[in-house]
Amino acid sequence: MTQALFHLSLALFLFLLGGLIKYGKVHWLIAGYNTLSEEEKDKYKIEDFCRGVSYFLFALAGTLLIPAAGGFFNIAWAIHLGWILFALA
């Protein structure tokens, strides 16, 4: 049960982080972007970049729902499958 709660809390954290980046316009949370010079930042469309990063974080959060369900229903293979998908993402 604690393992499932851990997976759910981690998924919630990633989902909230993705939401902050996409809707909260906190692009400074993206590692490396805030260290670029202004001319380097002008090469990127920040809205598209933030949308891509947020979709990636949403996908990672979604993969963590699989081991959470496996933990709630005591299905060991679902826990392993979720972490394999998380690592492959």
Side-chain angles (χ1 to χ4, degrees):
M1 182 67 158
T2 58
Q3 187 179 29
L5 292 176
F6 169 74
H7 291 126
L8 277 178
S9 63
L10 189 56
L12 180 65
F13 173 72
L14 290 174
F15 186 76
L16 289 174
L17 193 60
L20 280 174
I21 289 174
K22 184 173 182 180
Y23 300 112
K25 306 296 183 202
V26 287
H27 54 271
W28 50 269
L29 284 175
I30 300 172
Y33 181 76
N34 57 351
T35 60
L36 292 176
S37 65
E38 288 300 320
E39 63 185 31
E40 288 290 320
K41 286 182 183 180
D42 291 338
K43 292 180 182 178
Y44 301 101
K45 287 184 176 179
I46 189 61
E47 293 84 15
D48 294 340
F49 191 58
C50 287
R51 185 177 38 229
V53 170
S54 66
Y55 286 162
F56 177 67
L57 289 171
F58 293 151
L60 286 178
T63 60
L64 286 177
L65 295 178
I66 297 170
F72 277 126
F73 298 115
N74 205 13
I75 304 171
W77 63 266
I79 297 170
H80 300 298
L81 174 67
W83 279 107
I84 289 169
L85 290 175
F86 184 84
L88 290 176

